[in-house]
Amino acid sequence: MAIASASPAGAPAHRTLLVRPPSSALADGELTHLERVPVDADLAVQQWNRYVDVFRGLGWDVRELPAADSHPDGVFVEDTVVIFDGLAVLTRPGALSRRGEVESMRPAAEATGREVVEITSPGTLEGGDILKVGRTVYVGRTARTNAEGAAQLRSLLEPRGWRVVEVPVTRALHLKSAVTALPDGTVIGYEPTVDDVTRFDAFLPVPEAEGTAVVVLDETTVLLSDAAPATAELLRGRGLTVLTTPVTEFEKLEGCVTCLSVRVR
Ligand code: GLY
């Protein structure tokens, strides 16, 4: 299986996955656009283990952050830090219930060897609102990421050669609840949840809401929710290898395959 990426010297590239086990209070997580429905806590743990095993099976180093039972949404660890080349940005979540998740991410951020900086008050920013496509960083302006947070990120990134593009997001919790990107940079999304598809350089609609979120594993492989079979077929038709995993219990809380981890590569 030609899945593992390789360094120029041919050795496997170093890839670390940062994750946090689900809180026993997961069912009490924040909801913005969805109605609350029962969450099966045991099934959530099973699905989380399967999700992590996908990466472990591909050779990623998995680093588990301490459990944070008092933070129902703590499993959505991507919201607490954003990784760039040379820089790890600790966030300041817009949801007050989530602010306390960030400090426990600091040691893992420092362990990446990057300069660690943070979004400060009155800025708010959550990692789910940050989509990197090549050297472009799309920043979703949501109830969680405000103008000041976006401006702070811009001032960090533009001097480092990134292009920062703010996009409105009113129909989904986070930008990456509405759109993500394929390995070739094509942005994919479920159109009813995308405010303005013209904001992206290349956009491909997908047929299922659960199909909006892909994790790029390498140049030809993506990970997708198994609740989006038609999207999987669409992406396979573009020549991609599509791995799928069940994340129903996290989707009930407006989570998806991207927000369950931070990929450091
Ligand atoms: N339930 C995920 C969030 O609102 O942050």
Side-chain angles (χ1 to χ4, degrees):
M1 190 164 55
I3 287 179
S5 58
S7 71
H14 190 257
R15 297 163 302 169
T16 301
L17 191 76
L18 307 180
V19 289
R20 191 195 307 276
S23 161
S24 55
L26 174 68
D28 299 327
E30 299 276 349
L31 282 174
T32 305
H33 292 272
L34 298 183
E35 296 293 321
R36 197 170 295 281
V37 295
V39 172
D40 182 331
D42 293 335
L43 181 58
V45 171
Q46 286 173 33
Q47 292 183 342
W48 183 83
N49 280 313
R50 277 184 69 171
Y51 173 87
V52 173
D53 279 348
V54 171
F55 292 86
R56 232 189 280 275
L58 295 171
W60 289 63
D61 290 334
V62 175
R63 177 164 181 178
E64 268 187 42
L65 275 68
D69 268 354
S70 57
H71 291 289
D73 285 309
V75 70
F76 303 123
V77 71
E78 184 186 53
D79 291 320
T80 59
V81 70
V82 191
I83 302 291
F84 300 94
D85 45 357
L87 194 66
V89 181
L90 291 172
T91 69
R92 184 167 182 270
L96 288 178
S97 68
R98 303 204 56 188
R99 293 248 169 104
E101 297 171 25
V102 176
E103 206 46 41
S104 61
M105 173 55 82
R106 186 182 295 275
E110 289 171 351
T112 68
R114 290 161 168 81
E115 180 185 354
V116 177
V117 295
E118 54 197 87
I119 301 298
T120 58
S121 177
T124 65
L125 184 139
E126 296 190 3
D129 284 322
I130 309 303
L131 175 65
K132 289 171 274 183
V133 183
R135 295 297 292 181
T136 297
V137 178
Y138 292 102
V139 181
R141 282 292 317 285
T142 64
R144 303 291 183 85
T145 294
N146 66 14
E148 172 64 20
Q152 288 182 28
L153 190 68
R154 181 187 296 279
S155 70
L156 288 164
L157 295 182
E158 285 186 340
R160 291 173 165 87
W162 294 84
R163 169 181 169 240
V164 177
V165 179
E166 292 182 38
V167 292
V169 178
T170 62
R171 303 178 189 174
L173 170 62
H174 287 130
L175 173 63
K176 280 190 287 193
S177 317
V179 296
T180 57
L182 300 178
D184 68 2
T186 302
V187 172
I188 65 168
Y190 181 59
E191 277 186 290
T193 62
V194 184
D195 284 68
D196 182 0
V197 301
T198 67
R199 296 296 183 107
F200 306 104
D201 295 337
F203 180 81
L204 172 72
V206 298
E208 295 141 323
E210 296 86 351
T212 59
V214 292
V215 173
V216 172
L217 295 168
D218 69 24
E219 302 228 323
T220 58
T221 312
V222 295
L223 177 64
L224 177 73
S225 163
D226 80 350
T231 303
E233 277 315 297
L234 175 72
L235 301 185
R236 288 186 182 115
R238 290 175 64 99
L240 290 168
T241 298
V242 181
L243 308 183
T244 63
T245 197
V247 286
T248 56
E249 302 317 287
F250 305 107
E251 287 167 342
K252 291 174 181 175
L253 290 156
E254 298 177 68
C256 57
V257 289
T258 56
C259 56
L260 287 169
S261 66
V262 177
R263 283 77 57 194
V264 184
R265 32 189 150 197

